[in-house]
Amino acid sequence: MVCSGLEVRLAECKKKEKSPRFLSGLKRREKRHSQSLSGSVPFDRNAELIETFRTQMQISETMDALTRHKLVRLASEKSFGQIDVPQITLGLLNGTTKTEFLNEKSYIQWKNRQANILEELLSSEQSVGVFLAKIRNFQEWDIKMSPSKCREILYSIRNIASTLSSMPGNCGIQGETYYWSAGYPFNMRLYEKLLLGVFDILEDGKLIEEADEILKLIKSAWPLLGITQKLHDVLYGWVLFQQFVGTEEAMLLEYAVRKMRNIPSSEDVVQNEKKYLESLVCVNHCSGSEIRLNLVQSILWSIGLWCDNKLQDYHWHFFQKPSLFKGVLSMALAAGNQKFDVSGNMELTLNASNEIIDSKVRMYVERSAEAACKRVTDAINAGSKVDKKHPLALLASELKSIAERQLTVYHPVLRHWCAEAGVVSASILHRFYGERLEPFLKNISCLSEDVKQVLAAAILLENYLIELHSSEQVKKGVHSPLMFDFEREIGEIARPIILDWVIAQHARILEWTGRAADLEDWEPLSHQQKQAASAVEVFRIIEETVDQFFELRLPVDITHLQALLSIIFHTLDAYLQKVVNQLVDKHNLYPPTPPLTRYKDTAFPSAKKKLVEYVVLDNAVNKKLDALTTSKLCVRMNTLQYMQKKISSLEDGIRESWSAVRVFKDQTCLDEDSHWTSNGILEMCSESVDELFVATFDCIRDSAADAIKRTCELVGARVVFWDMREPFIFNLYHGDVEGARLETILPQFDRVLNNVCALIDDTLRDIVVKSIFKASLEGYAWVLLDGGPSRAFSDFDVVMMEDDLNILKDLFVADGEGLPRSLVEEEAKFAHQILSLFSLRAESVIQLLMTSSEHSSGLEAHKYGDRHLGDAHTLIRILCHQKEREASKFLKQYYHLPPSSVYNGAAVEDSSMKSPLMADLIKRSASFRWSDKSSSSFRTLKKKIQDATSDFRQVGW
């Protein structure tokens, strides 16, 4: 302040605070607009800045007061010329005693510091050393020597300093003094200390708000300390950089980079200043060698050396704080390109060309990738023992992490200076792993766990390397040649062993599937999960195999997909075949058709034959039927429906997995419909893959749908013709319509339906209820047409039977909660038509019979199942069950049918039906199948029936 002519005023006496004195002025101040330090700057603002700077420099108020007092006295003297550091130091020593310090120790330290400064600045004069020895000697200087003698010694030193100060500078710079060069490096160290005052002492990583104003104040010392603009930029950048290294505060690094970029190159510096800078020599040590550089070179070399050390292994040094990477790289480039010639002289190139920068960044990428590879290799053996993984799998995983981080964190920064940074890094990682993978590939013979681990990890690594390698090329529309390297070799090796592995799963899965099906007891898993356990197990095995296939993460082709889908098809088909083969034909449940008779009521008892109402079934059929209860059939249907759902989800899952899998790149398999995507995945002709899925899953769906249909029909037949055979088939209208109405068995019907609806899956309820309804109608038609000698109906009976049929329909409509009314009416149409035939007179039915025998082909429109409404067989049965004399007379005259009175109501088992034609006639209603092209005349039909009833002709009427 004294040197620059700014006013210095002694601090007014004020009350001292009890806190540490150098912190007494530390406060958070509101940011003020910086003002010029010209004469217009208010004194109060200067005083505030001086106070702030004192606090930042951690100078106590006592020392500040002493210094101000000495400077005021020095400024008042007119005897000295140009001010310099020795003069200030001598002014501070003049008249200062230990009484002005808190203690003797502080005084001695302060005095010795001043002596050291003088010794460094006046070292060229040997006589100065004698004087300084006296000053350092406490006993001699402060006790024995008188004040006048002390002043003489200081005056002698002052004369020497003035003589030196009057000497011209060495470089011819305007304002240069002798002490610019003689005071080096003290001047630079002092200026560096002053610059540190702009950092907040409570937060080393922050600049104080008044930093810019403080820097302007410090600028006033430039002539005193020999500081030029270039030196200031270098030193301030160096201070900022050192502060960043200690705090890792990114803002400081950003400021430092800005300062370094402002440094002009040697060509832009005037010759005199260049000479001055060259005179500021520093000695550096590197690898045991001594390197002499000027100050600017030394600072830039030190910064560059630190940055190089970090950047040559940036994967390690910036792993925790990647945000600093860009700043450090910018600083390394701002520090210039440093190269030593054969003589050991450094050539510093600031603002280097793009080629030099590209080369330097490429070097960082190469060395960092190599260092990362070496580091993971050193740790890999210990890692494999702990993780139980093959070393090559671990190595691939670690290198993949490096490549991924390179791509996402470092490459976006590096590419601004080196467009091929990704290519360089990917190539090194690829070559490093490829050299270690090659011997392993040569020894592969089967798909072991180690092989699966290593190949999958290698492919995953290759994916990232391809993406990294192609990061710039893809943007330019160019594909990377690295794509066709060891991944292709892996694909060629893996292709046959993957196929062998898939084929090997076939027998294992079929064995498990067969075992699960054989052990199935067809009980639901739970109240919510109504399917059987075996199907769940089958799909678990299939899904486990599918997951294992896609978890291989190896290149596959359509042959592998075909093999996988073939396993799925054969597994599900085998399971469905087992389920279907356990069923019986529903016709096995139908009762035998009683013999044809004509209605005849007699009051005289006679010998009566027994009706055959039960079929003797094969033992195998009986055994199957015992296991096919209604509840178990419902569980079977639930299981088949569960399979339908799982088949769809399985197909969707496989399609999704296939779309994401890497396809083996076999050039011989490519056609004009196939092409490569940018990331190396083959887009195959979608029709081929779709055909495979359709051929597999649609076929299985169809088989499951057929199985559901067969099981559903069997449920209806089981409920009506087996579970309710006695009350419904045998007892309905038995002997007398009015005494055996449908309403007597409705509660049992209702219970059966409730049980079925509770057991069956909600999605199947309607089709199962519909099956039961159709079987009920079929059973009802059997009662009307094949009910045997015990059933005959009058016109009055037909009215009650119509009511019963309506009751049956209402039961299944269930007040709108059951089957749709329209569907019920449509299904019941045939039953209504049969009843309408019973309401006709016998003569009309006979006429229809004769007409149908001659023109049966015209009755196809009235077909119900396998029976025509108006065919001869149906009409004969109408006549057989009509309580009309004309009907009985007709049947006796033309067919010689025995009267119904010759049979009693008891049922016996009879397996010796001797007449082949009779056996044919008493089969289930489905056995009467007349084709349009095979109609016979009425006379031929009459002859067949007469022959069939020849056993009964001798029975009395």
Side-chain angles (χ1 to χ4, degrees):
M1 296 293 289
V2 174
C3 304
S4 60
L6 294 176
E7 182 179 2
V8 179
R9 184 176 65 178
L10 290 174
E12 297 179 356
C13 294
K14 52 186 177 180
K15 188 176 181 180
K16 304 295 187 291
E17 297 180 4
K18 302 262 186 182
S19 59
R21 294 187 175 185
F22 70 87
L23 292 177
S24 62
L26 185 63
K27 298 178 183 178
R28 289 290 180 186
R29 294 165 293 278
E30 294 184 3
K31 190 172 183 179
R32 302 175 177 87
H33 293 292
S34 297
Q35 297 176 331
S36 172
L37 292 179
S38 62
S40 62
V41 177
F43 173 80
D44 289 342
R45 181 57 184 155
N46 284 336
E48 289 178 2
L49 292 175
I50 290 292
E51 179 64 17
T52 299
F53 194 56
R54 178 196 68 78
T55 305
Q56 287 292 115
M57 298 296 290
Q58 302 184 32
I59 299 173
S60 67
E61 291 183 354
T62 301
M63 182 56 65
D64 178 63
L66 173 64
T67 303
R68 285 174 181 266
H69 177 75
K70 296 293 182 179
L71 290 178
V72 167
R73 189 176 65 180
L74 178 65
S76 64
E77 296 178 359
K78 304 297 184 180
S79 60
F80 64 87
Q82 186 177 3
I83 195 70
D84 50 39
V85 173
Q87 302 244 15
I88 294 176
T89 303
L90 292 170
L92 293 175
L93 284 171
N94 189 18
T96 303
T97 64
K98 64 180 180 180
T99 58
E100 298 177 82
F101 289 83
L102 293 176
N103 52 62
E104 185 177 298
K105 183 179 180 180
S106 299
Y107 167 69
I108 293 174
Q109 287 178 344
W110 176 86
K111 185 181 63 170
N112 288 340
R113 185 180 305 119
Q114 311 311 313
N116 291 339
I117 293 173
L118 290 173
E119 183 178 20
E120 183 166 353
L121 296 178
L122 306 176
S123 59
S124 61
E125 298 295 326
Q126 296 181 354
S127 59
V128 173
V130 177
F131 298 138
L132 295 178
K134 293 181 179 181
I135 295 175
R136 289 193 181 98
N137 191 317
F138 178 76
Q139 289 290 331
E140 184 175 0
W141 181 263
D142 294 289
I143 297 176
K144 296 179 180 181
M145 194 175 293
S146 64
S148 61
K149 186 62 176 176
C150 291
R151 285 194 294 272
E152 288 180 9
I153 292 175
L154 292 177
Y155 183 77
S156 298
I157 298 174
R158 183 184 225 179
N159 288 335
I160 295 172
S162 297
T163 302
L164 294 175
S165 179
S166 62
M167 295 174 63
N170 296 329
C171 303
I173 301 176
Q174 183 179 3
E176 180 187 5
T177 67
Y178 167 81
Y179 291 109
W180 277 28
S181 298
Y184 176 81
F186 169 78
N187 293 342
M188 304 305 154
R189 295 294 187 190
L190 179 57
Y191 190 70
E192 185 178 336
K193 182 65 176 178
L194 294 176
L195 291 173
L196 288 173
V198 300
F199 298 102
D200 196 320
I201 60 174
L202 296 183
E203 293 184 68
D204 291 343
K206 305 291 183 183
L207 294 170
I208 61 173
E209 294 177 354
E210 300 86 352
D212 289 340
E213 294 178 277
I214 294 295
L215 288 174
K216 289 181 179 180
L217 281 178
I218 293 175
K219 189 174 182 179
S220 63
W222 285 14
L224 178 69
L225 300 177
I227 304 298
T228 65
Q229 183 65 52
K230 182 172 183 177
L231 277 175
H232 167 76
D233 290 338
V234 172
L235 290 171
Y236 189 38
W238 172 240
V239 169
L240 287 167
F241 180 75
Q242 290 184 96
Q243 204 74 3
F244 156 72
V245 171
T247 63
E248 293 189 342
E249 177 59 50
M251 179 193 69
L252 298 180
L253 180 61
E254 183 180 346
Y255 291 160
V257 171
R258 291 179 188 173
K259 281 298 174 185
M260 292 302 173
R261 286 175 177 168
N262 289 337
I263 298 175
S265 62
S266 299
E267 293 75 13
D268 298 330
V269 179
V270 296
Q271 189 63 32
N272 290 345
E273 184 178 357
K274 185 176 180 181
K275 181 179 178 181
Y276 170 60
L277 294 176
E278 291 293 337
S279 69
L280 306 178
V281 178
C282 297
V283 177
N284 299 272
H285 297 277
C286 179
S287 302
S289 301
E290 186 176 280
I291 303 174
R292 300 179 67 83
L293 305 171
N294 65 51
L295 178 62
V296 175
Q297 289 177 330
S298 179
I299 289 176
L300 294 178
W301 180 76
S302 298
I303 291 175
L305 193 64
W306 186 93
C307 293
D308 285 349
N309 179 63
K310 302 299 180 184
L311 293 172
Q312 287 178 22
D313 193 2
Y314 56 76
H315 284 284
W316 172 259
H317 293 291
F318 298 97
F319 184 81
Q320 297 294 337
K321 289 189 174 182
S323 58
L324 299 178
F325 174 69
K326 182 178 181 179
V328 173
L329 179 59
S330 299
M331 175 58 81
L333 300 178
N337 188 57
Q338 300 141 14
K339 184 174 64 173
F340 291 91
D341 58 22
V342 292
S343 303
N345 299 320
M346 189 180 82
E347 296 179 7
L348 175 64
T349 305
L350 298 175
N351 303 318
S353 64
N354 292 337
E355 291 76 11
I356 294 177
I357 292 176
D358 180 273
S359 176
K360 190 172 185 177
V361 174
R362 183 186 293 266
M363 179 267 294
Y364 291 148
V365 174
E366 291 173 350
R367 295 191 179 179
S368 184
E370 291 167 356
C373 290
K374 183 179 183 302
R375 187 165 47 252
V376 298
T377 302
D378 293 341
I380 204 66
N381 291 330
S384 64
K385 292 177 181 178
V386 173
D387 296 339
K388 306 298 182 184
K389 289 184 179 180
H390 193 280
L392 282 176
L394 279 174
L395 179 60
S397 179
E398 292 295 332
L399 294 180
K400 177 187 72 68
S401 299
I402 294 172
E404 184 178 11
R405 196 167 180 82
Q406 176 74 25
L407 178 64
T408 58
V409 177
Y410 305 119
H411 182 68
V413 176
L414 294 167
R415 59 185 292 267
H416 292 294
W417 291 283
C418 179
E420 294 187 346
V423 174
V424 173
S425 179
S427 300
I428 291 174
L429 297 176
H430 179 271
R431 182 178 63 255
F432 180 83
Y433 189 74
E435 291 171 354
R436 288 150 183 79
L437 180 67
E438 191 69 27
F440 180 83
L441 294 179
K442 292 179 180 179
N443 295 321
I444 291 178
S445 59
C446 64
L447 200 62
S448 64
E449 283 301 316
D450 282 348
V451 170
K452 287 192 285 187
Q453 284 182 8
V454 173
L455 296 189
I459 292 299
L460 198 57
L461 169 62
E462 188 78 347
N463 293 348
Y464 279 96
L465 294 182
I466 289 172
E467 189 174 358
L468 176 59
H469 192 279
S470 308
S471 53
E472 290 300 316
Q473 284 83 350
V474 169
K475 295 176 182 177
K476 301 173 184 177
V478 180
H479 295 298
S480 169
L482 183 67
M483 294 168 53
F484 305 98
D485 203 347
F486 68 70
E487 183 190 359
R488 181 173 187 78
E489 185 176 357
I490 290 176
E492 292 172 349
I493 293 173
R495 187 180 187 186
I497 63 174
I498 293 175
L499 189 60
D500 291 342
W501 178 86
V502 174
I503 294 173
Q505 307 307 305
H506 194 184
R508 180 183 67 86
I509 295 175
L510 285 179
E511 179 184 354
W512 275 96
T513 301
R515 187 181 306 169
D518 293 340
L519 295 175
E520 183 57 73
D521 59 0
W522 299 108
E523 292 295 333
L525 286 175
S526 65
H527 182 69
Q528 291 79 22
Q529 296 177 298
K530 299 179 180 181
Q531 70 274 11
S534 59
V536 177
E537 178 67 10
V538 168
F539 276 96
R540 185 194 67 78
I541 296 170
I542 291 175
E543 289 170 351
E544 183 181 275
T545 304
V546 171
D547 290 343
Q548 289 175 355
F549 175 79
F550 286 110
E551 285 173 1
L552 293 175
R553 299 192 298 262
L554 299 176
V556 293
D557 59 20
I558 197 169
T559 305
H560 299 114
L561 178 63
Q562 187 175 10
L564 179 67
L565 295 182
S566 177
I567 289 177
I568 295 172
F569 173 80
H570 285 101
T571 300
L572 296 178
D573 184 65
Y575 182 81
L576 287 172
Q577 288 300 321
K578 277 185 172 289
V579 173
V580 171
N581 290 339
Q582 292 170 357
L583 302 178
V584 298
D585 193 323
K586 70 174 184 177
H587 296 104
N588 286 312
L589 304 177
Y590 292 177
T593 304
L596 298 177
T597 61
R598 55 188 175 83
Y599 174 74
K600 176 68 175 178
D601 192 12
T602 177
F604 302 99
S606 60
K608 295 186 177 182
K609 294 183 178 289
K610 300 292 185 178
L611 288 175
V612 179
E613 296 183 353
Y614 293 95
V615 181
V616 178
L617 299 176
D618 182 80
N619 288 334
V621 176
N622 264 328
K623 186 176 180 181
K624 286 184 178 181
L625 200 56
D626 290 341
L628 295 173
T629 62
T630 301
S631 62
K632 292 185 182 295
L633 286 173
C634 289
V635 175
R636 285 172 179 268
M637 286 198 65
N638 294 338
T639 304
L640 293 169
Q641 181 66 13
Y642 168 81
M643 290 184 68
Q644 290 277 50
K645 296 177 182 177
K646 290 295 290 183
I647 287 169
S648 296
S649 63
L650 179 64
E651 179 182 8
D652 293 341
I654 295 176
R655 283 182 179 271
E656 182 177 354
S657 298
W658 179 255
S659 65
V661 79
R662 291 191 66 82
V663 179
F664 176 66
K665 302 185 281 288
D666 187 353
Q667 295 293 333
T668 61
C669 298
L670 298 180
D671 54 37
E672 59 184 5
D673 296 324
S674 305
H675 62 278
W676 295 107
T677 59
S678 60
N679 61 353
I681 296 180
L682 179 63
E683 292 184 353
M684 302 182 66
C685 181
S686 59
E687 290 96 10
S688 300
V689 175
D690 287 340
E691 286 172 3
L692 277 180
F693 280 100
V694 170
T696 301
F697 291 102
D698 284 7
C699 186
I700 291 296
R701 287 192 187 93
D702 292 343
S703 298
D706 291 341
I708 290 175
K709 181 180 179 182
R710 282 193 59 183
T711 308
C712 185
E713 291 175 351
L714 186 57
V715 170
R718 169 86 197 200
V719 168
V720 174
F721 289 99
W722 200 261
D723 297 342
M724 297 188 64
R725 169 179 290 201
E726 195 67 31
F728 186 58
I729 300 300
F730 292 157
N731 292 341
L732 182 65
Y733 305 153
H734 184 81
D736 178 28
V737 171
E738 188 173 6
R741 297 283 300 277
L742 182 65
E743 61 186 13
T744 60
I745 60 174
L746 281 181
Q748 187 172 349
F749 239 129
D750 192 52
R751 283 195 302 274
V752 170
L753 287 174
N754 286 335
N755 291 337
V756 169
C757 290
L759 290 169
I760 205 71
D761 186 86
D762 291 342
T763 58
L764 298 171
R765 190 196 68 166
D766 287 352
I767 65 170
V768 174
V769 172
K770 179 183 176 182
S771 174
I772 296 174
F773 178 56
K774 291 179 69 174
S776 301
L777 293 174
E778 193 172 354
Y780 191 70
W782 188 94
V783 169
L784 299 183
L785 300 177
D786 296 314
S790 62
R791 291 180 173 94
F793 314 118
S794 64
D795 292 342
F796 177 73
D797 293 333
V798 171
V799 176
M800 292 184 287
M801 291 157 65
E802 285 279 2
D803 291 340
D804 285 351
L805 181 57
N806 290 329
I807 291 173
L808 183 64
K809 293 190 298 182
D810 291 339
L811 174 67
F812 284 89
V813 172
D815 296 328
E817 296 183 1
L819 298 177
R821 172 66 70 176
S822 59
L823 185 147
V824 169
E825 292 294 345
E826 181 65 26
E827 294 294 338
K829 188 180 296 183
F830 183 71
H832 279 295
Q833 291 171 342
I834 293 176
L835 291 176
S836 67
L837 290 177
F838 275 111
S839 65
L840 296 176
R841 301 299 301 170
E843 293 84 352
S844 300
V845 177
I846 291 170
Q847 184 61 43
L848 288 173
L849 174 62
M850 297 179 70
T851 304
S852 69
S853 299
E854 296 176 0
H855 308 287
S856 59
S857 62
L859 301 173
E860 186 177 3
H862 301 286
K863 179 180 285 191
Y864 176 79
D866 292 328
R867 184 185 301 221
H868 295 280
L869 179 64
D871 66 10
H873 297 279
T874 301
L875 296 172
I876 288 174
R877 281 159 175 75
I878 296 293
L879 293 172
C880 289
H881 293 88
Q882 274 190 321
K883 285 184 178 181
E884 281 200 38
R885 180 176 180 79
E886 289 299 325
S888 179
K889 181 179 178 182
F890 173 79
L891 294 172
K892 176 183 178 182
Q893 179 180 355
Y894 288 99
Y895 296 101
H896 303 290
L897 294 183
S900 59
S901 55
V902 301
Y903 291 92
N904 63 12
V908 296
E909 293 187 7
D910 187 358
S911 59
S912 59
M913 305 303 295
K914 296 179 181 179
S915 171
L917 184 56
M918 177 57 73
D920 180 66
L921 288 172
I922 67 174
K923 283 184 179 179
R924 301 156 201 80
S925 57
S927 65
F928 293 95
R929 185 175 294 115
W930 287 60
S931 65
D932 297 338
K933 297 181 180 179
S934 304
S935 61
S936 59
S937 65
F938 173 70
R939 189 168 297 175
T940 303
L941 179 64
K942 169 185 172 181
K943 181 68 170 62
K944 288 184 178 181
I945 296 178
Q946 286 177 342
D947 292 341
T949 57
S950 60
D951 294 338
F952 310 111
R953 290 178 186 168
Q954 304 302 320
V955 181
W957 294 74

